[in-house]
Amino acid sequence: MSRERERILAAIRRAQAGAGSPTPPCGTEGHRQAGSLDRASVLDRFVGRVEDYRAKVTRGSSSALYRVLAPALAARPVRRLVVPADLPEAWVLALPPGIEILRDEPGALLSHGQLSAAGGVLTGCALGIAETGTLVLDGGAGQGRRALTLLPDYHLCVILASQVVETVPEAMDRLAPVVRSRGAPLTFVSGPSATSDIELSRVEGVHGPQTLEVVLVEDA
Amino acid sequence: MRSRPLPTFPSTAPSALGDEQLRANLRKATTTIRRKRASVVQELPDWEELRARARAIKEGAMAELDRHLLKLEESVTAAGGVVHWAADAAEATRLVGDLVSAAGAREVVKVKSITTDEVGLNEALAARGIAAVETDLAELIIQLAGESSSHFLVPAIHKNRSQIRDLFREHLGPPDLSDEPGDLAEAARLHLRQRFLKAQVAVSGANFAVAETGTVGVVESEGNGRMCLTLPRVLITLMGIEKVLPRLGDLEVFLQLLPRSATGERMNPYTSLWTGVTPGDGPQEFHLILLDNGRTRVLADPVGRQALHCIRCSACLNICPVYERVGGHAYHAPYPGPIGSILMPQLLGPGVHDSLPFASTLCGACAEVCPVGIEIPRVLLHLRARASQGRVKGGGGVPGSGGKEEIRERERALPSAAPSAPLLERCLFRVGGWLLRRPRAYRWALRLGRRLQPALAEKGWIPRLPGMGSGWTLGRDLPALPEESFQEWWEREGCGRAASPTGDGSGGEGNRGARGGPGRKGGPP
C-alpha cells in the first residue's frame, strides 16, 4: 500500500520537474466575495429562488410561529413527525395537535426504518443562500443527524431571517469555522430531490424528500 | 496496456450518425441544457472572474500536487478516515474489493461515479462475487440495459421513455408500469429504498476533496448520493488525484461554477460535504482511495496537463457540434466529448485513442463554455501533432502501450488507400503549402482544377473524390471550384491594381501580413 503511495508521489514529482515551473496564479480574487442587495431584497430573493425549485415558502414571525406551522402541517397527511432532540421547544409547542412527535434522542435514536416510515421531519438549518435558493444543514442546533432530513418524504425547514446570506462565498465564510473545528458534515439543499434523467423531464421527489417546505421567520 | 485495440472514432461514428432516434434524443437534450446553462450563467455578473479564479486554483493545485495530496492524507486521517493510494485500475479495484470483503458485505450501493467506470469497478467486483447496485436513475437504467454511459450527467440520454419503461417492466415491475417519467422515477425509488436501508457499504466518487480540512464533496440531484453517503456503515470513496483543492475557501468558486455549467441550475438539489467520520451521524468507517491511473502521465505534459482541471460539468459535450451528432458511445471512452478527446489519449498514453483529437471541428465552443478555462482546441492540436508524429515515425518512442501494432491495425481497418496515406498526406500538404506561398502557381493550379473538375462535379458540388480523397467525401459533398474565384473577381473589378504585385513569394512569408495587398495571397477560392 505504501509502495503505491511512493510510486504515485515519485511520478508526480517527475512530472512536475518535466513540466517546468508553474505559471503564477493571476487574476485572482476578482470575483464577488459578498452581495450588494439590502436586507429586504436579500430575503425577497431567497424566497423567490427557493420557490423557483417548486418548494413552498411561508413567511412568519417567531411570536406567531403556530400560525405558519399549523396550516402547513394540516395541509399534509403527516401523522408522525420526526424532530431532532434539540429542536427549540417553542417550535414543538407551535405544532398542531393530533401529530405524533418522534424525537431522535441521543440515547434512543430512531431506526432508519422508523425514519423512512415517518411522514415528515421538522428542523432548523445553519443558513440560507439567497442567490441560489439554498438551505445549508451542518448538524448544529435544531438540525439533527443527516438521516433525519433524508428519509422522511416531507421536510419542513425553519430558517431565521438572520441566517440568510446573499451569496455562496458569504455562506462558505460562515460555514468554515464549524468544518474546521468539529468537521461538521454539510448538506446543501436546493429544493426537493429531483431527476431529469428521463428525456430531461424534471421529476420532483426521487430518493430524498419529495416535498420541501420552508418557513422564514422574521422578527420586527 | 490493453490487449486489443479500441475501435476508432471514424469506425464507430457512422453508425451513430445513422441512428435517427439517437440524434433526435441528443439534439433535444443538448439544446435544452445549453439554453438553461446560458440563462443561469448570464445571471452572475462575475462569471469570467470566477472562471479565472477556478483556473488559477487548479493550476496551483497541480503545481504542488504532491504536497496537497500529503496534506489531504493527513487531514482525512486526523478526521477519522483512512487514505489508500492506487497507482492503477487493478490496484483500485483490488482495494475496494478487499474493503468490501473486510466489511463482510456481498452488495454495495453506488453513487454515480465516472472514475469507478474508468477503472471497471463493477465488473471487478462482480468477479469477486460482489454485486454493485447503481443508484442514480440513469446509471440504473443503463446497468439494467447492460450498456455504458453516453454522457457525464445524463448517462441515459440516448434512451427514451418507452425504452426505459420496457426495461423497468422487465426488471423492476410492475408489469403495467406507464412511461410517464414520474411513474418511472417512482418505480426506481421503491426498488432502491429497501436496498438503501439494508446496505452495509457504499462506494462513491468525489467532485472535490479539500487538502486543508480533509473535506470531500459529492454534488447530485436525486438524493441517492445522500442515501449512500449517510446510511451505510462503511463508505469507500474513489477519487482521481486531480480532484484535490488546496483550501476550504476554494470550494465556493466551484460550487458556483459547477451546477450552472452542468445542469443549468443555480444550485443542484443536494451537495454533501463530509470531513472524515462524524460520531453518531453517517458512516462510521470512511476510506478514501487516491487514484493515479495515468493522471501523472497527463501531468507531465506542460500543454496537456490542463485537462486535469476538468470538473466534469459536461458543458463542452452539450455545446460540441460533433458530440451532438454522434453521442457519447462513438468515443468508446468513459470520458466522451471534447474533454474526453483530450483526456483519454493522455490518460492511456500515445497509440490508444489517437483518433479522438481528430473528432473535432476545432470550432472552439468548448473552450468558451469551459468553467475552468481549459483551452481544449489548443490541447487537441497538440495531441494531433503528437499522433501524427507517432505515425510518421512508425510509432517509435511510444512508451508502454503497444502503440505500433495498434496503429498498423487501425490503418488496416481504414479504406483501402489509407496504408499509404501518411506519405501521400505529407506530400499533399507540402504541395499545398508551396502553392499557397506562390500566388501565380496557385492561380494556375486553380485553372487546372477547374478544367478537370467537370468529370467530378454535379451542380456545383463534388459528391465523390477519387482515390485517397474518397474518405473526405464519405460523409459530405465538396463544393466545386466556382467559375470565377475571389481573386479573379477582385482583379476584374480593378481593386487589386493599386497594390504592387508580388509574384512568387520567396518562402517564409507564411500567411502573415498582407505584403501583396489584399487578394494577392492565395486563399481558398
Side-chain angles (χ1 to χ4, degrees):
Chain A
M1 194 160 64
S2 74
R3 203 172 49 87
E4 297 272 319
R5 180 178 184 266
E6 296 319 312
R7 248 176 90 187
I8 295 173
L9 290 171
I12 291 171
R13 286 165 189 150
R14 265 200 313 277
Q16 282 163 342
S21 57
T23 40
C26 57
T28 59
E29 305 301 346
H31 69 284
R32 294 172 306 152
Q33 293 300 305
S36 52
L37 297 176
D38 59 69
R39 278 313 288 170
S41 311
V42 168
L43 295 181
D44 288 345
R45 174 162 291 182
F46 174 73
V47 171
R49 299 258 157 117
V50 173
E51 285 172 339
D52 281 349
Y53 298 120
R54 288 187 240 176
K56 193 177 169 199
V57 186
T58 323
R59 301 172 84 146
S61 71
S62 61
S63 54
L65 203 57
Y66 67 92
R67 282 203 211 138
V68 192
L69 292 185
L73 287 161
R76 302 194 52 84
V78 177
R79 293 290 150 261
R80 273 172 305 173
L81 186 73
V82 174
V83 299
D86 60 351
L87 194 78
E89 206 49 39
W91 300 7
V92 179
L93 293 174
L95 293 172
I99 288 185
E100 186 188 342
I101 308 284
L102 301 178
R103 259 181 210 277
D104 190 51
E105 301 280 358
L109 294 179
L110 299 168
S111 73
H112 290 161
Q114 279 175 299
L115 292 172
S116 193
V121 59
L122 169 65
T123 70
C125 64
L127 58 81
I129 308 171
E131 196 162 86
T132 58
T134 302
L135 298 163
V136 183
L137 304 165
D138 68 359
Q143 300 167 53
R145 58 201 168 101
R146 283 172 283 172
L148 262 57
T149 50
L150 175 62
L151 288 165
D153 278 351
Y154 169 74
H155 181 195
L156 178 58
C157 187
V158 177
I159 181 168
L160 310 179
S162 60
Q163 292 180 305
V164 180
V165 300
E166 186 181 339
T167 64
V168 178
E170 289 165 271
M172 288 311 292
D173 275 350
R174 277 210 202 181
L175 293 163
V178 289
V179 174
R180 292 201 176 103
S181 64
R182 62 177 170 91
L186 304 180
T187 307
F188 288 56
V189 176
S190 307
S193 67
T195 185
S196 300
D197 278 349
I198 300 166
E199 296 184 6
L200 290 180
S201 326
R202 187 175 164 95
V203 175
E204 270 121 27
V206 197
H207 302 294
Q210 285 178 309
T211 311
L212 173 70
E213 192 162 346
V214 179
V215 172
L216 173 62
V217 178
E218 296 165 278
D219 284 314
Chain B
M1 186 175 280
R2 278 169 191 273
S3 52
R4 66 194 156 78
L6 290 163
T8 62
F9 187 84
S11 71
T12 51
S15 66
L17 271 176
D19 186 338
E20 296 282 333
Q21 178 72 55
L22 175 73
R23 289 185 61 175
N25 292 359
L26 284 167
R27 193 165 48 241
K28 183 181 160 199
T30 52
T31 347
T32 310
I33 307 181
R34 280 206 299 267
R35 202 185 52 236
K36 286 175 67 185
R37 178 199 163 274
S39 83
V40 294
V41 162
Q42 57 95 33
E43 263 181 24
L44 290 190
D46 55 346
W47 186 254
E48 290 308 319
E49 287 78 13
L50 278 167
R51 291 177 78 204
R53 180 78 190 121
R55 188 185 165 133
I57 292 171
K58 286 288 190 179
E59 275 176 4
M62 291 308 112
E64 293 180 282
L65 188 56
D66 52 342
R67 194 168 66 79
H68 297 310
L69 290 174
L70 289 172
K71 177 68 189 160
L72 177 67
E73 182 183 44
E74 185 192 316
S75 307
V76 169
T77 310
V82 184
V83 175
H84 311 260
W85 302 69
D88 54 27
E91 178 62 12
T93 55
R94 188 190 65 75
L95 272 168
V96 177
D98 287 355
L99 291 168
V100 176
S101 299
R106 306 307 293 166
E107 182 175 296
V108 298
V109 284
K110 273 189 70 193
V111 191
K112 187 178 87 145
S113 150
I114 321 170
T115 311
T116 62
D117 292 346
E118 176 195 326
V119 299
L121 181 66
N122 294 6
E123 297 74 16
L125 289 180
R128 297 178 62 155
I130 299 164
V133 180
E134 293 290 353
T135 63
D136 171 75
L137 181 54
E139 290 285 343
L140 176 68
I141 292 167
I142 59 174
Q143 190 178 40
L144 292 176
E147 293 176 5
S148 60
S149 165
S150 65
H151 191 281
F152 289 169
L153 285 168
V154 270
I157 202 171
H158 57 287
K159 285 209 154 347
N160 64 22
R161 61 180 72 190
S162 55
Q163 293 169 316
I164 296 165
R165 177 205 54 204
D166 294 345
L167 264 178
F168 278 17
R169 279 185 180 173
E170 186 187 338
H171 296 277
L172 314 184
D176 60 343
L177 185 64
S178 85
D179 65 359
E180 276 305 307
D183 293 343
L184 294 169
E186 181 63 17
R189 175 186 169 98
L190 291 173
H191 170 73
L192 288 172
R193 180 57 68 112
Q194 289 312 312
R195 295 219 131 110
F196 285 134
L197 291 178
K198 66 177 208 275
Q200 292 298 305
V201 181
V203 176
S204 84
N207 290 97
F208 332 95
V210 179
E212 178 200 342
T213 54
T215 306
V216 184
V218 162
V219 168
E220 51 128 1
S221 294
E222 296 172 7
N224 65 307
R226 289 181 68 192
M227 292 279 177
C228 294
L229 303 171
T230 309
L231 302 184
R233 188 173 53 79
V234 180
L235 171 62
I236 304 167
T237 298
L238 176 66
M239 67 167 249
I241 51 176
E242 82 282 16
K243 295 287 178 70
V244 71
L245 297 175
R247 289 163 302 269
L248 189 63
D250 297 332
L251 274 177
E252 53 99 351
V253 176
F254 297 94
L255 289 178
Q256 294 189 76
L257 289 168
L258 180 54
R260 289 179 200 257
S261 299
T263 47
E265 293 168 298
R266 295 185 183 117
M267 195 64 98
N268 49 291
Y270 299 131
T271 296
S272 297
L273 298 168
W274 69 96
T275 304
V277 169
T278 307
D281 184 357
Q284 296 302 296
E285 197 180 316
F286 169 51
H287 298 273
L288 180 65
I289 302 175
L290 303 175
L291 174 75
D292 179 348
N293 207 32
R295 284 160 178 78
T296 48
R297 193 202 308 257
V298 186
L299 191 67
D301 186 326
V303 178
R305 70 189 319 186
Q306 54 181 308
L308 295 176
H309 301 173
C310 174
I311 55 173
R312 316 278 188 257
C313 72
S314 72
C316 65
L317 277 62
N318 298 325
I319 201 103
C320 177
V322 176
Y323 179 88
E324 183 179 336
R325 279 157 187 84
V326 298
H329 288 151
Y331 295 80
H332 266 276
Y335 306 96
I339 186 65
S341 296
I342 62 168
L343 197 51
M344 291 312 302
Q346 298 196 84
L347 278 178
L348 297 179
V352 195
H353 285 307
D354 275 356
S355 69
L356 289 185
F358 296 87
S360 166
T361 63
L362 298 179
C363 73
C366 46
E368 220 162 88
V369 296
C370 178
V372 294
I374 302 173
E375 307 155 294
I376 297 177
R378 181 172 168 222
V379 184
L380 283 169
L381 285 173
H382 173 69
L383 295 172
R384 283 185 185 189
R386 190 185 78 177
S388 59
Q389 268 157 20
R391 205 160 51 169
V392 170
K393 288 177 198 146
V398 177
S401 64
K404 205 193 272 187
E405 299 75 55
E406 190 164 312
I407 289 161
R408 297 232 173 91
E409 185 67 30
R410 283 210 329 255
E411 283 174 354
R412 271 198 291 278
L414 286 169
S416 59
S420 55
L423 179 67
L424 259 173
E425 213 174 81
R426 270 181 296 150
C427 290
L428 274 177
F429 271 95
R430 209 162 286 171
V431 171
W434 188 87
L435 282 174
L436 287 172
R437 288 197 303 271
R438 290 162 183 81
R440 223 173 270 167
Y442 178 81
R443 267 173 286 174
W444 174 82
L446 210 63
R447 279 196 292 273
L448 180 68
R450 215 179 284 147
R451 192 164 306 171
L452 295 177
Q453 75 173 356
L456 302 169
E458 293 168 17
K459 294 177 189 147
W461 293 91
I462 299 174
R464 210 167 298 123
L465 281 175
M468 71 166 286
S470 64
W472 183 259
T473 47
L474 265 182
R476 54 170 100 63
D477 292 343
L478 193 68
L481 298 171
E483 282 308 307
E484 181 179 43
S485 73
F486 176 75
Q487 280 191 341
E488 288 159 347
W489 170 84
W490 187 263
E491 265 165 29
R492 183 164 58 75
E493 291 290 313
C495 307
R497 274 183 210 130
S500 64
T502 50
D504 284 7
S506 51
E509 190 176 323
N511 54 4
R512 260 175 305 137
R515 247 194 271 171
R520 285 282 162 192
K521 284 188 302 156

